[in-house]
Amino acid sequence: MYTQALNTREAAAPEDPEREARFQARIDAEEKIEPNDWMPEAYRRTLIRQIAQHAHSEIVGMLPEGNWITRAPSLKRKAALLAKVQDEGGHGLYLYAAAETLGVSREELVALLLSGKQKYSSIFNYPTLTWADIGVIGWLVDGAAIMNQIPLCRCSYGPYARAMIRICKEESFHQRQGYEIMVTLARGTPEQKAMAQDALNRWWWPALMMFGPPDGDSQHTDTAMRWRIKRFTNDELRQKFVDATVPQAHHIGLTIPDDKLTFNDTTGHWEFGAIDWAEFKNVIAGNGPCNKQRLKQRNASHDAGAWVREAALAYAEKRRRREAAGRLVAAE
Ligand code: FAQ
């Protein structure tokens, strides 16, 4: 989709207040910044960090659901889950490709994920214990992802914004398939409804943490908003998500596990209880329930796929030699 050859080292030129002012004026005028345009080094670094974390989240996010492909309760559910997990692999690839336009290679980024040096979303460090967890992931995790990512379709960096358009369309399908699983379970036997409620109880708070630290503690929000990478703060998006999701839970007779949850008639928003930020910090520091398992599994898959990468490189080299020989013959 993209090529890293597009990018030039000129983009990493020393900071220059005049150029920065012109750059900011373009952002303020809602122009898209493209790979070969001049950009401040900090803008480039922020984008690489965010896009890489986003790509890693898609790839690691395949693992908790992949766990249920062989145990999906019907052929229809299996086919849908398989397609969803494949979509997530595709999202990771578009995002690595978008990051490559900023002058970093996919291999470098993958190495940073595998060594644990770069983050992926906290949410994927929780286990999927029952089939209802697959419903909740689609409903809440994809739901939170969409809330966060729709504004990214208007991100100032062209390749990221364009990649997000297709990703959001697919996430929307994922969200609906998850909610439909929840509807089915909530209208099923008492045991199925209890399983749906239990999954909601375990995933609700981690889903709220996906939006990142509260605005007062967010290191990157101010600059990311000024550069129109982010269009809303973490707390604004979290509130939008709560407002959209609480009525969906009520509609299927499930209870949000928060005894402080109340609807404020004056503001028109659902007010919610305190998030356990110590848990969030612990998870992003690598100590969540599944952090070690996820990195171990990703490393094992990467190692097991070494022969595929070697075969693809050998084939490309063979083709290159054949084509070069063909050109020589044609020239004679
Ligand atoms: N987990 O200053 P801020 C999906 C880090 S995709 C881990 O507020 P920022 C699809 C943050 O990186 C889900 N770390 O940061 C799917 C920073 O650390 P750093 C992923 C987090 O960037 C569904 C530090 O805390 N989506 O789910 C988290 O302005 C189902 C300070 O934070 C994206 O990546 C977290 N939750 O705002 C797949 C969307 N939150 O880098 C499979 C794009 C914060 O300085 C199944 N990303 N941190 O070491 C974003 O919108 C932003 O990066 C935020 C964080 C909003 C995540």
Side-chain angles (χ1 to χ4, degrees), residues 49 53 88 119 122 148 210 212 218-220 230 234:
R49 178 189 64 80
Q53 285 177 9
E88 279 144 15
K119 294 189 174 82
S122 50
N148 168 275
M210 281 179 74
S218 166
Q219 306 149 39
H220 306 293
K230 283 166 92 159
N234 299 352

Side-chain angles (χ1 to χ4, degrees), residues 121-123 140-149 151 204-215 218 221 230 232-243 245 272 275 277 280:
S121 180
S122 50
I123 194 76
L140 299 185
V141 177
D142 286 274
I146 294 168
M147 200 55 92
N148 168 275
Q149 291 169 18
W204 174 253
W205 293 103
L208 297 193
M209 293 174 197
M210 281 179 74
F211 295 94
D215 292 351
S218 166
T221 295
K230 283 166 92 159
F232 296 96
T233 70
N234 299 352
D235 285 335
E236 283 167 351
L237 289 173
R238 194 172 0 254
Q239 184 65 57
K240 278 173 183 277
F241 173 75
V242 171
D243 289 341
T245 312
F272 51 96
I275 294 172
W277 291 113
F280 172 75

Side-chain angles (χ1 to χ4, degrees), residues 17 54 67 69 73 98 163 317 328:
H54 193 166
N67 182 34
I69 291 173
E317 176 61 16
L328 266 181

Side-chain angles (χ1 to χ4, degrees), residues 220-294:
H220 306 293
T221 295
D222 287 351
T223 41
M225 298 270 286
R226 180 159 54 81
W227 285 327
R228 302 200 186 177
I229 295 170
K230 283 166 92 159
R231 299 273 173 167
F232 296 96
T233 70
N234 299 352
D235 285 335
E236 283 167 351
L237 289 173
R238 194 172 0 254
Q239 184 65 57
K240 278 173 183 277
F241 173 75
V242 171
D243 289 341
T245 312
V246 171
Q248 293 169 355
H250 292 167
H251 179 69
I252 54 175
L254 296 181
T255 309
I256 300 284
D258 177 358
D259 55 15
K260 300 273 184 319
L261 191 73
T262 39
F263 188 72
N264 183 325
D265 282 318
T266 319
T267 61
H269 294 299
W270 284 93
E271 288 173 359
F272 51 96
I275 294 172
D276 182 354
W277 291 113
E279 174 180 324
F280 172 75
K281 283 186 191 146
N282 197 39
V283 172
I284 64 172
N287 305 315
C290 299
N291 295 58
K292 289 180 185 64
Q293 180 188 331
R294 299 286 184 243

